[in-house]
Amino acid sequence: MVIEGFEHSPGKNCGSTSLWNISKFYGNRYPEHIIFGLSSGLLFFYMKGGFGGASYAIGGRNPLLVEDFFDNIGLSLKWQSYDDFPEDIIKESISSGIPVLARTDLFYLPYYKNPVHFPGHEIVIFGYEEKNDSEGKKEDVFIVSDSSFPEPQKISRQDLARAMSPENVIAFFSLHNHILPTPKFEVKLDKDSIVKSIHKVCQRMLRFDLDFMGIKGIKKFHEEIELWADAKDRAWVFRFAYQVIERRGTGGGSFRFMYSDFLRDSAEIFSGKDKTTLYELAADVFSSAELWRNLAFRFKEISEKDGISKDEILELKNIIEKIYSIEEKTFLNLEKFVSGF
């Protein structure tokens, strides 16, 4: 059983790609960066321990992306959580032609080679096969859309259940059989949805009283980069940071290239001074993305060396300081922009 008409396309980020594939299925034709922007997808956070198995880690994406997307386009769709693997609900939804979003820990998805713990990896379940093994025991297989692969993937019930409810995973939320059957919806790219989505990003980047998130998180990142050099897993800390900025489903530049594209295209919805302002802010985010990309490749180079010099630490701090300066100014200006509506 496969949902007729659902087409899988690989993309840039697991969450926005999943929403993009579902939105295409329902006849919406906006590109992934619009979906990402309407999801208030941009963020920054700084973590010690847990994420990716690294002593220190950073991230650039909003973990609440899916629910924010639906809220920003005017729908009340939220993750559902279950004590046990919700097999019957998933199958009933697919049989009714409704794709099912699911949250997983990438580590337990067997089609990944050399996986790391990456909790909150979103996929779309859009088919299943009921089979029996050689001994006649039931052995169901689910068909999923995963942003990292050019073709749909198949995963056993056992593996999917474990990925959706793993033990001892450190994340912003516990993974506990989260699914979201997604009925037909219309993507609304208008002033209201754009302003609402940008407002959430600005609030998180500027106004949350958390020293590990947003602009404050970038400052903490800048202050503590020296500690990375002394970490026992120094090579992996720098390598993983490179990956989460540039490789692991970010669209490059710690999601900033995607967000710049969103702001640029959104400018077309406005006119006059507002249109010009949003174009200028898109260019500012692009500049930040280029700095993030530069930082990522320096991290990659450092991860392949035996040590790191004081001059290299100063160089990294200089890049991060520039990022902080650009993003503080840019998000203050974005906040001022949306406050006018």
Side-chain angles (χ1 to χ4, degrees), residues 112-162:
Y112 277 92
K113 296 180 180 179
N114 304 316
V116 299
H117 284 290
F118 208 86
H121 180 71
E122 289 118 349
I123 60 175
V124 182
I125 310 170
F126 69 98
Y128 65 90
E129 299 173 353
E130 294 180 333
K131 296 182 176 181
N132 294 317
D133 63 18
S134 57
E135 299 178 356
K137 293 176 63 177
K138 189 176 178 182
E139 193 177 59
D140 290 351
V141 173
F142 289 89
I143 303 167
V144 303
S145 170
D146 189 314
S147 61
S148 299
F149 297 86
E151 302 294 337
Q153 300 296 305
K154 292 186 177 182
I155 181 171
S156 70
R157 180 201 183 281
Q158 180 179 0
D159 286 335
L160 182 58
R162 189 180 185 191

Side-chain angles (χ1 to χ4, degrees), residues 39-90:
S39 302
S40 301
L42 200 71
L43 189 58
F44 177 83
F45 59 84
Y46 178 73
M47 292 183 67
K48 298 179 183 180
F51 190 51
S55 297
Y56 301 93
I58 57 176
R61 200 208 87 169
N62 165 25
L64 306 177
L65 178 152
V66 168
E67 290 186 354
D68 278 347
F69 170 74
F70 290 114
D71 181 57
N72 291 340
I73 65 171
L75 299 176
S76 180
L77 290 174
K78 299 184 180 298
W79 289 108
Q80 304 165 10
S81 180
Y82 296 89
D83 291 334
D84 300 309
F85 180 65
E87 182 172 9
D88 290 343
I89 296 173
I90 293 171

Side-chain angles (χ1 to χ4, degrees), residues 18-19 22 66 70 79 99-103 123-124 178-180 182:
S18 294
L19 290 167
I22 296 174
V66 168
F70 290 114
W79 289 108
V100 180
L101 281 160
R103 271 177 174 162
I123 60 175
V124 182
H178 286 98
I179 62 169
L180 204 172
T182 310

Side-chain angles (χ1 to χ4, degrees), residues 56-246:
Y56 301 93
I58 57 176
R61 200 208 87 169
N62 165 25
L64 306 177
L65 178 152
V66 168
E67 290 186 354
D68 278 347
F69 170 74
F70 290 114
D71 181 57
N72 291 340
I73 65 171
L75 299 176
S76 180
L77 290 174
K78 299 184 180 298
W79 289 108
Q80 304 165 10
S81 180
Y82 296 89
D83 291 334
D84 300 309
F85 180 65
E87 182 172 9
D88 290 343
I89 296 173
I90 293 171
K91 288 182 175 180
E92 287 170 6
S93 296
I94 291 169
S95 297
S96 300
I98 298 175
V100 180
L101 281 160
R103 271 177 174 162
T104 67
D105 180 357
L106 182 149
F107 183 83
Y108 296 108
L109 299 175
Y111 46 81
Y112 277 92
K113 296 180 180 179
N114 304 316
V116 299
H117 284 290
F118 208 86
H121 180 71
E122 289 118 349
I123 60 175
V124 182
I125 310 170
F126 69 98
Y128 65 90
E129 299 173 353
E130 294 180 333
K131 296 182 176 181
N132 294 317
D133 63 18
S134 57
E135 299 178 356
K137 293 176 63 177
K138 189 176 178 182
E139 193 177 59
D140 290 351
V141 173
F142 289 89
I143 303 167
V144 303
S145 170
D146 189 314
S147 61
S148 299
F149 297 86
E151 302 294 337
Q153 300 296 305
K154 292 186 177 182
I155 181 171
S156 70
R157 180 201 183 281
Q158 180 179 0
D159 286 335
L160 182 58
R162 189 180 185 191
M164 287 175 55
S165 188
E167 297 179 357
N168 302 321
V169 173
I170 298 174
F172 287 103
F173 43 79
S174 61
L175 293 175
H176 206 64
N177 295 309
H178 286 98
I179 62 169
L180 204 172
T182 310
K184 189 172 183 177
F185 61 86
E186 178 185 355
V187 178
K188 298 177 182 178
L189 183 68
D190 55 24
K191 289 183 180 180
D192 287 342
S193 62
I194 292 167
V195 167
K196 190 172 184 178
S197 67
I198 293 174
H199 175 74
K200 287 180 181 176
V201 171
C202 293
Q203 284 292 299
R204 290 167 183 152
M205 288 297 296
L206 298 169
R207 304 301 170 196
F208 275 23
D209 190 24
L210 299 168
D211 68 353
F212 64 86
M213 185 180 288
I215 293 298
K216 292 178 181 178
I218 298 175
K219 184 178 181 180
K220 191 176 186 70
F221 175 38
H222 175 266
E223 292 171 349
E224 297 195 357
I225 192 68
E226 291 101 331
L227 301 178
W228 292 28
D230 298 323
K232 292 181 180 179
D233 56 345
R234 181 190 61 81
W236 176 238
V237 168
F238 281 100
R239 187 74 177 191
F240 188 62
Y242 151 69
Q243 291 178 357
V244 297
I245 294 171
E246 198 61 28

Side-chain angles (χ1 to χ4, degrees), residues 296-314:
F297 283 104
R298 289 298 292 123
F299 282 171
K300 181 176 183 289
E301 292 168 3
I302 290 168
S303 74
E304 295 167 349
K305 297 168 58 177
D306 292 333
I308 179 171
S309 69
K310 290 184 178 180
D311 286 343
E312 285 174 317
I313 288 289
L314 288 174

